[in-house]
Amino acid sequence: MKFFLDTANIEEIKRCASFGFLDGVTTNPSLMARENISDQAARIEEICSLTEGPVSAEVIAADTEGMVEEARALADIAPNVAVKIPLTMPGLSATRSLADQGLAVNLTLVFSPLQALLAAKAGAAFVSPFVGRLDDVGMDGMDLVEDIVSIFSNYAFETEVIVASIRSPQHVLRAALIGADICTVPFKVIEQLASHPLTDKGLAAFLADHEKVAAKRPHPNSH
Ligand code: G3P
């Protein structure tokens, strides 16, 4: 399973890259706004220089023509840009046109298996089901991922499933068990994945035992 970081924050991206498992980055207008970014192109260019993996950059236009125009400008920023398009009817038309031009499209804001099926049929490279937001309205977001993975496997679609709107390690665990291609994870959840209270407790005990023996050992200069 690939790990993308769901952020527009450069420090988080650099830290995740240092762990060796940064397979890509996803951004969206809200993540850009959180970082107070006015020059989206400059930030996308910087992020693209920090990973060889795909970097999703989202269009703002709502009509097909506007989406295609914006997407082409975003794709010109760097070869590893994946253009993020919302799953609407104009978005599906834009996806077909951009896919035919050889661009990688990430169809976003996906909340049903049939939306995902349409995304694959339209030629999307990626589809992003938002699991946390479905949980928020009393549904089980991971059921959606399970359905999409089954449908794509039934028909051998090459569209990769990015599990998005991840809120907890449980989402990542279930995505891995289902066999989703990618999880895009907020940095906070990466920290939660790495930490375990028994690791901290075990380490503290090892160090305390080491100190006890070290305290009894005679100092090299004493007689
Ligand atoms: O990748 C999509 C993600 O950024 C949305 O997350 O927590 O706003 O639902 P959230």
Side-chain angles (χ1 to χ4, degrees):
M1 188 176 69
K2 286 177 264 189
F3 273 97
F4 289 2
L5 201 58
D6 194 30
T7 190
N9 181 287
I10 294 297
E11 284 319 304
E12 290 180 353
I13 294 167
K14 284 184 176 166
R15 282 198 65 198
C16 197
S18 79
F19 305 142
F21 51 70
L22 180 67
D23 297 313
V25 174
T26 51
T27 68
N28 63 36
S30 301
L31 292 171
M32 287 284 177
R34 195 179 296 168
E35 300 298 317
N36 252 322
I37 295 162
S38 48
D39 187 349
Q40 180 179 217
R43 179 54 64 100
I44 293 296
E45 190 174 8
E46 190 175 2
I47 295 173
C48 285
S49 73
L50 297 171
T51 177
E52 287 176 6
V55 174
S56 288
E58 189 156 343
V59 300
I60 304 298
D63 63 299
T64 301
E65 204 178 303
M67 286 177 181
V68 169
E69 195 180 323
E70 245 187 88
R72 288 173 60 103
L74 289 170
D76 278 345
I77 296 172
N80 55 333
V81 166
V83 289
K84 216 172 181 188
I85 307 268
L87 202 144
T88 57
M89 300 276 270
L92 287 168
S93 302
T95 299
R96 182 74 272 162
S97 157
L98 293 163
D100 288 346
Q101 294 168 49
L103 271 64
V105 177
N106 175 2
L107 266 170
T108 189
L109 290 167
V110 168
F111 293 97
S112 86
L114 295 174
Q115 284 183 314
L117 177 58
L118 295 183
K121 297 283 290 175
F126 306 101
V127 65
S128 291
F130 274 35
V131 297
R133 293 192 192 182
L134 280 170
D135 293 353
D136 289 345
V137 295
M139 297 178 73
D140 184 347
M142 294 311 299
D143 284 350
L144 170 61
V145 174
E146 213 162 347
D147 287 348
I148 296 172
V149 168
S150 297
I151 292 169
F152 285 8
S153 153
N154 287 345
Y155 298 102
F157 282 119
E158 286 177 7
T159 305
E160 290 187 275
V161 179
I162 304 181
V163 182
S165 181
I166 281 179
R167 306 275 174 77
S168 73
Q170 276 305 313
H171 283 142
V172 181
L173 174 61
R174 283 189 63 194
L177 291 170
I178 291 166
D181 303 285
I182 302 155
C183 277
T184 188
V185 189
F187 191 80
K188 187 182 71 166
V189 176
I190 298 271
E191 288 176 315
Q192 292 172 332
L193 294 176
S195 66
H196 197 288
L198 291 179
T199 305
D200 297 341
K201 194 177 164 195
L203 181 59
F206 285 157
L207 293 178
D209 289 343
H210 173 80
E211 285 307 317
K212 272 186 233 156
V213 177
K216 282 189 204 151
R217 203 175 292 140
H219 192 273
N221 294 331
S222 67
H223 294 283

